[in-house]
Every structure is written in structure tokens, then in C-alpha cells.
Amino acid sequence: MRFEFATAGRILFGCGCLGEAAPLARAWGRQALVVTGAHPERAEPLQHLLQAAGMTCTFFPVAGEPTVDHVRQGAAAARAAGAEVVLSFGGGSALDAGKAIAALMTNPGELLDYLEVIGRGQPLTVPPAPFLAIPTTAGTGTEVTRNAVLASPEHRVKVSLRSPLLLARVAVVDPELTRDLPPSLTATTGMDALTQLIEPYVSCRANPLVDALCEEGLRRVGRALRRAFAHGQDLDARTDMALASLFSGMALANAGLGAVHGFAAPLGGSFAAPHGAVCAALLPHVMRINLQAADTRAPQRAVRARYQIVARLLTQNPAAEAEDGIRWVQELCRDLGIPPLRTYGLRPEHFAEISEKAAQASSMKANPLPLTPQERLAILEAAY
């Protein structure tokens, strides 16, 4: 047995821990670039804390999912402001953008020098500017991952800037910041967290440390996601989901993902669809096809046993079988109002191209076993 585990340099978790962000950031300098979502006014509590600590803030909002151009513009804004530290306050988009901006501030050359698939894929060689991640959703786990997912509209694909150097210096996870998330965003981000707990757990790269995180995270999603969706001010449910999301990020960063995220990359690059909603629409169908493929082609591997444990953790039924877990996920998608992929413009004539792009995605390499073209098409047909 051999594995590696890496995560953020420091993790602060708990209600009210946002108050600790400013003194940490002040240790790295006085000038801060604060990367937010489309509404920077939501970061006013952080702004007040930073100003009280003697810091000057320059805000850089990212509307929608981050693009290659967002990162270029953000790095230019940081340099113009003399920023010494980057803080991201928001969902996965703000966190991914902040990570990439911090890296581009210090590394020579152009962003495409370092991007996978559409770029030259060169490694980052210089540590990024100090980066502090503050998630305000419970789903992506981006605060503890070593990659930043960026869209390239001209290539119609999402790609990663990936390096161990991208791990945040500090992740500040305050569940109180998620209490006002609307139900729709609670649903899609929560389903992203669920996917990121299941895929590393059944991954061909799974390891015992990741297993423990996934099992605890699945227990919490199983009991909390519906409650957080229906009762947004339920702080116990929000805390469970924030912790599950954190665990999902730690898991995917150290054991990879799978076919759901393999498909999500080209789908997100080609259609205006929320990442979590795409993952949710795909998840039960990927589970079913993976299970069938493993039963048929690799029965000696523990894929069925893994999905059985997933089912028992989610349903809280110690006698549940793997298929019960798939049904539980399907029912959850129905209860949360997850729409099919056709909602976002996907059509049968797109299936072949999406399938081939998914086969080349880095996430697909960690799937429990390789999927055939017929199996990939079956997933798209079922999620359509």
C-alpha cells in the first residue's frame, strides 16, 4: 500500500471562524485582492474585518464560472493594486479564480503555458501569492483542492490549472456563511459534494485515508442535504453539509474523481449549465453503468462492495444493496428538482462528441474501470 495525501496548509472550521481570516491575511501584507462572485457586496463582512486589521482591499468580481480571460484580468488587477495576498470569498468559481490569479501573479509567461488540454501543461515553478480561501457554498470543496477549473469559451471546454502549489495557505470554512443560500443553489452544490464523495470512494485510486473522509461525509449528506434544502436556516444541517463539502474536496484532491466529472468538463464547456446540476443529472446513471460494467468485466474487484457501502451510509439501512443506493440518489434528485440534461440544450446529435471528449478528460482516468463507447453513450441517453 502506497499513497499520498496533501491538503491546505491550515484549515479553520466552525461557526464564526470568518473572524480569524483578517489577522491571518495581515501576516502576509497590507494590500489584498479579494475575489468574489458576481455580487461583491456580499463580502462586506470580510471587507470590514480586513480594514479593521489595517489592510486595503481591491475587489475583483467573477460573474458566472471563471474563464481564462477572468484569470488574466484578475492577475493584471492584482499587479496594478500592488496586491500581496489573494483572498477568495464565494462559491467554487470565486475560489478557482482566486487560486489561478495567485499563481499567475508570481509565475512567468502566459496562462496557457500552464493549462492542461488547451495549453502547454508546463508545471508551475514559483509558489503563488499567499492565498486564503473562504467558501460561502457547501459543495465544491475547492478550498482544499490542488487545481483550478477554468472555462475556455473559444475551445468549448473546461480545463484545469493543476499543481500542488495551488493548495491554499489557509481554508476558512464557516457554516454560517451558507445559511442564506437559496434552495436551488443548496441543491446543486450539495449534489456536487455528494458526487465528490462517491467518486473518490469507488475510484481506482482510493486509499484508506480518503475512505474515512468519504464515509463520514456520506453519512452527513445522507442526513442533512434534504434538511438544508427545505430549511435553510437549520445550522446543524448547514454544518453537516459544509463539513461534507470540505471532506469531498480533500477526497477528490487525493483519489481523483470519475465518469461524472469526466462528462461534466465537456458539458460545462459546451452548454450554460451549473456544474452541480450537471453532476446530479449524471450521477445515478454513472453509478448504474459502473456497477453493470464491473459486474460484467471486473467482478474480482471491489466495485460492487464499495457501492453497497455507499448505499448503506446514505440510506442508513445496514441491509441495503448497491442498487438501493442508486434508487436513493434518483429519489434525491427528484426531491431537489434536478432537471435532465436536455434542459441545457444537449441534444442526441451532441452525444458522440461529448462522449469522446469525456473519454479524454483527466477525471475519467480515476473511474473504477474504463468505460466503453457504448457505455458512455448509455449514460448520456439516460441523463438526457
Side-chain angles (χ1 to χ4, degrees):
M1 183 185 302
R2 179 174 178 171
F3 62 88
E4 174 191 355
F5 191 91
T7 191
R10 184 177 178 187
I11 299 170
L12 302 180
F13 183 95
C15 294
C17 69
L18 175 64
E20 300 179 54
L24 291 167
R26 178 63 185 84
W28 295 316
R30 290 183 175 273
Q31 299 288 336
L33 183 78
V34 180
V35 182
T36 71
H39 302 283
E41 65 275 8
R42 293 176 181 166
E44 283 183 3
L46 175 63
Q47 180 182 16
H48 296 324
L49 290 167
L50 293 171
Q51 289 174 339
M55 299 186 69
T56 300
C57 304
T58 299
F59 280 83
F60 183 77
V62 176
E65 297 190 343
T67 65
V68 171
D69 282 341
H70 280 136
V71 174
R72 292 181 178 126
Q73 294 161 10
R79 294 189 192 102
E84 300 161 278
V85 55
V86 178
L87 297 93
S88 281
F89 182 96
S93 294
L95 271 60
D96 274 340
K99 271 193 251 185
I101 289 167
L104 203 58
M105 286 167 61
T106 59
N107 280 271
E110 216 280 322
L111 181 57
L112 285 174
D113 292 336
Y114 306 106
L115 286 176
E116 297 177 349
V117 183
I118 64 170
R120 287 171 279 281
Q122 297 174 359
L124 296 174
T125 57
V126 181
F131 173 67
L132 194 151
I134 307 170
T136 62
T137 64
T140 67
T142 308
E143 65 272 14
V144 288
T145 63
R146 61 180 99 185
N147 70 304
V149 180
L150 307 174
S152 176
E154 63 179 299
H155 296 93
R156 294 172 53 216
V157 71
K158 289 182 182 178
V159 296
S160 278
L161 176 65
R162 194 183 307 272
S163 170
L165 297 176
L166 287 181
L167 288 164
R169 298 278 187 96
V170 181
V172 177
V173 185
D174 187 338
E176 289 186 343
L177 298 176
T178 68
R179 291 178 77 167
D180 293 325
L181 282 179
S184 61
L185 196 54
T186 298
T188 56
T189 57
M191 289 301 299
D192 194 13
L194 175 59
T195 305
Q196 292 173 176
L197 291 163
I198 293 175
E199 290 206 296
Y201 192 69
V202 302
S203 160
C204 60
R205 301 175 187 165
N207 68 64
L209 189 50
V210 165
D211 289 350
L213 292 167
C214 291
E215 289 175 12
E216 182 62 19
L218 288 166
R219 287 189 190 94
R220 291 175 185 270
V221 173
R223 73 192 186 200
L225 180 49
R226 281 188 173 89
R227 283 167 45 211
F229 175 77
H231 307 286
Q233 294 299 312
D234 183 334
L235 193 53
D236 287 340
R238 292 296 193 184
T239 299
D240 272 346
M241 289 307 302
L243 195 56
S245 175
L246 174 67
F247 287 175
S248 81
M250 297 167 77
L252 77 89
N254 291 282
L257 288 161
V260 173
H261 281 79
F263 280 111
L267 284 166
S270 300
F271 303 96
H275 173 75
V278 169
C279 290
L282 290 161
L283 179 58
H285 310 297
V286 168
M287 293 171 71
R288 177 175 55 82
I289 293 296
N290 274 346
L291 192 61
Q292 292 174 354
D295 285 347
T296 302
R297 301 201 304 278
Q300 74 282 5
R301 296 167 69 176
V303 178
R304 172 168 285 276
R306 290 261 161 172
Y307 277 121
Q308 183 184 71
I309 296 171
V310 168
R312 293 177 179 183
L313 292 168
L314 291 175
T315 65
Q316 300 179 36
N317 174 8
E321 297 296 333
E323 288 80 5
D324 297 320
I326 298 171
R327 281 190 290 273
W328 189 93
V329 172
Q330 288 176 314
E331 291 169 4
L332 178 65
C333 289
R334 181 200 63 207
D335 294 346
L336 299 185
I338 300 298
L341 293 180
R342 67 171 67 92
T343 307
Y344 307 109
L346 179 70
R347 297 291 178 263
E349 56 266 29
H350 302 135
F351 288 0
E353 180 184 4
I354 294 295
S355 172
E356 287 307 309
K357 286 184 176 180
Q360 304 306 315
S362 58
S363 292
M364 195 68 85
K365 295 178 175 62
N367 203 56
L369 71 168
L371 297 178
T372 66
Q374 293 76 19
E375 288 164 343
R376 297 196 304 270
L377 290 173
I379 290 168
L380 288 173
E381 290 165 1
Y384 171 69

